[in-house]
Amino acid sequence: MPTVEQIQQILEPLFPGLMGVRLVTLEPERVVAELTVRADLCTAGGILHGGAYMAFADTLGAVGTIINLPLGKRTTTTDSSTKFIGGARVDTTVVGESVALHRGRTTMVWQTTIRSAEGKLCAVVTQTQLVLDA
Amino acid sequence: MPTVEQIQQILEPLFPGLMGVRLVTLEPERVVAELTVRADLCTAGGILHGGAYMAFADTLGAVGTIINLPLGKRTTTTDSSTKFIGGARVDTTVVGESVALHRGRTTMVWQTTIRSAEGKLCAVVTQTQLVLDA
Amino acid sequence: MPTVEQIQQILEPLFPGLMGVRLVTLEPERVVAELTVRADLCTAGGILHGGAYMAFADTLGAVGTIINLPLGKRTTTTDSSTKFIGGARVDTTVVGESVALHRGRTTMVWQTTIRSAEGKLCAVVTQTQLVLDA
Amino acid sequence: MPTVEQIQQILEPLFPGLMGVRLVTLEPERVVAELTVRADLCTAGGILHGGAYMAFADTLGAVGTIINLPLGKRTTTTDSSTKFIGGARVDTTVVGESVALHRGRTTMVWQTTIRSAEGKLCAVVTQTQLVLDA
């Protein structure tokens, strides 16, 4: 399994790097990361943009799938659905934890829960990853 | 109704500005925008990151709701669901068109269709906006 | 392509038969059906149960996929997401129209719009069908 | 709080009654119910119809919300999204457990996990309930 540092290095030049996603934990059924709520990740009113929640979560679910792929396979997200529950204010940090609900041969399903640093629930994102021949 | 330029100016320092979202058309039941697929909006393999699709669409649906809000009201997204259908390659442009499926007093529902410059379907995002007292 | 009567006959002993789903139109990119809002399809207050909307739509999207399957393939729904917009009263009829948003080799995406007999929008259901070897 | 029997009695003449939903446990943050996979709840091939999963879950999430409503309030489902993960065969029983992810003044979010009698994961349904003045 790749290390946190190896995956972080892959993410850096990509969209998660632009956003400042910081991987913290990488386990076969669980991925954790942090995100600082910068002003340029916000919507009006100084709260984290809904799209930033979704992009943050999408990254975690995809990373979780990739570290579970058999050799010769690749993955693509087919579906993602999000419940927005609470706002996260600028200059705070949110923590995303993605857990595998299902790791099958054809699809994997990951659910990411995003919380404020104080543990307040902000959003829940559930995504389906299709497993395809590479 | 605000102009495209007025809304664009509001978006600039926010997450849509970081991504480079460019508003094109603003009508009461329809919002259109463009996005250049920059390398730092991509995932591995040089295709637009799923999170970028979702953040792009979320912006359009929220803008569409805001221009329909009665005085003294504000909005928040409660739900968003996305079908990813086709990839968009780096250095191309995608076009998002968001149309109102429902504009009620309590909720509005907007659906955003994202296509490549050639018209190939990339993603469909449907979101619910709650209408609240400001 | 099978006829409306042939598909209706297959549905009769199944869940759509229990509910009273009546197929009306069967085209490669469009399936239409009707449903009478019986009391035993309702929730409290005499309005169509949210689950009945979803089961009605799921049937249409699955039928639409099946009539598009290449030989030697089968399908299963992986994801479904629903926006509930308006209620349908007992003893009225609702009409569901499902259209193909995407008909690919690996997945198909169908979106079903449910309206009252007067054309009022009740619900929108978008579902992903995986195409698998039979 | 109402008892399991009181809620069951309300459900009997409604869609959950037609399907045979049997409430088992009713707690402020958790609702459990069973469903026998009758032939007339199935799709082709003798597996539980996707719509039956969704209607079963929708019932649990709505019941969970209702038992949490303050006086003078009512609820309606605005959004539901489902991941289908495994099939349930005819003549078996499935168990649905719905837990509150969020119980706010404006919305509640409930997630229902449906498993086979042996504990195999079949589906996960997440729904948003709007809380309105009665």
Side-chain angles (χ1 to χ4, degrees), chain A residues 8-73:
Chain A
Q8 185 71 46
Q9 208 163 3
I10 292 170
L11 297 180
E12 281 306 316
L14 304 174
F15 192 41
L18 179 68
M19 294 176 59
V21 173
R22 301 186 302 274
L23 276 181
V24 175
T25 307
L26 213 56
E27 296 169 358
E29 302 202 21
R30 181 173 168 270
V31 177
V32 179
E34 292 180 343
L35 181 72
T36 300
V37 183
R38 298 188 325 232
D40 63 0
L41 299 181
C42 284
T43 185
I47 57 163
L48 190 58
H49 193 283
Y53 281 127
M54 295 193 284
F56 181 38
D58 190 59
T59 300
L60 300 202
V63 165
T65 303
I66 286 164
I67 63 178
N68 277 282
L69 283 179
L71 260 176
K73 295 285 182 180

Side-chain angles (χ1 to χ4, degrees), chain D:
Chain D
M1 215 178 76
T3 65
V4 164
E5 291 71 27
Q6 286 168 330
I7 298 284
Q8 184 71 45
Q9 209 162 1
I10 292 170
L11 297 180
E12 279 306 317
L14 303 174
F15 192 40
L18 178 69
M19 294 176 59
V21 173
R22 300 186 303 275
L23 276 182
V24 174
T25 306
L26 212 57
E27 297 168 357
E29 301 203 23
R30 181 173 168 268
V31 178
V32 180
E34 292 179 344
L35 182 72
T36 301
V37 183
R38 298 188 325 232
D40 63 359
L41 298 181
C42 283
T43 186
I47 57 163
L48 190 58
H49 192 283
Y53 281 125
M54 295 192 284
F56 181 38
D58 189 59
T59 300
L60 300 201
V63 165
T65 304
I66 286 164
I67 63 178
N68 278 283
L69 283 180
L71 261 175
K73 295 286 182 179
R74 63 185 177 88
T75 185
T76 186
T77 315
T78 59
D79 286 83
S80 178
S81 72
T82 300
K83 305 290 176 189
F84 297 101
I85 290 167
R89 296 209 57 78
V90 65
D91 293 332
T92 64
T93 293
V94 291
V95 181
E97 178 184 43
S98 191
V99 298
L101 298 186
H102 173 62
R103 293 183 297 162
R105 280 182 310 157
T106 315
T107 61
M108 299 198 197
V109 177
W110 288 76
Q111 185 164 67
T112 304
T113 303
I114 302 175
R115 294 180 184 276
S116 71
E118 295 79 36
K120 191 185 63 141
L121 183 60
C122 295
V124 179
V125 184
T126 316
Q127 75 199 65
T128 303
Q129 298 282 144
L130 198 57
V131 177
L132 298 159
D133 292 329

Side-chain angles (χ1 to χ4, degrees), chain A residues 10 13-16 18-19 38-44 49-52 54-55 58-59 77-85, chain B residues 10 13-16 18-19 38-44 49-52 54-55 58-59 77-85:
Chain A
I10 292 170
L14 304 174
F15 192 41
L18 179 68
M19 294 176 59
R38 298 188 325 232
D40 63 0
L41 299 181
C42 284
T43 185
H49 193 283
M54 295 193 284
D58 190 59
T59 300
T77 315
T78 59
D79 286 82
S80 178
S81 72
T82 300
K83 306 289 176 189
F84 297 101
I85 291 168
Chain B
I10 292 170
L14 304 174
F15 192 40
L18 179 68
M19 294 175 59
R38 298 189 323 233
D40 63 359
L41 298 181
C42 284
T43 185
H49 193 283
M54 296 192 285
D58 190 59
T59 300
T77 314
T78 59
D79 286 82
S80 178
S81 73
T82 300
K83 306 290 175 187
F84 297 101
I85 291 168

Side-chain angles (χ1 to χ4, degrees), chain C residues 15 42 78-80 82-84, chain D residues 15 78-80 82-84:
Chain C
F15 192 41
C42 284
T78 59
D79 286 82
S80 178
T82 300
K83 305 291 175 187
F84 297 102
Chain D
F15 192 40
T78 59
D79 286 83
S80 178
T82 300
K83 305 290 176 189
F84 297 101

Side-chain angles (χ1 to χ4, degrees), chain B residues 42-102:
Chain B
C42 284
T43 185
I47 58 163
L48 190 59
H49 193 283
Y53 281 125
M54 296 192 285
F56 182 39
D58 190 59
T59 300
L60 300 202
V63 165
T65 303
I66 286 164
I67 63 177
N68 278 282
L69 283 179
L71 261 177
K73 295 285 181 178
R74 63 185 176 89
T75 185
T76 185
T77 314
T78 59
D79 286 82
S80 178
S81 73
T82 300
K83 306 290 175 187
F84 297 101
I85 291 168
R89 295 207 59 77
V90 64
D91 293 331
T92 64
T93 294
V94 291
V95 180
E97 178 184 42
S98 191
V99 297
L101 298 185
H102 174 61

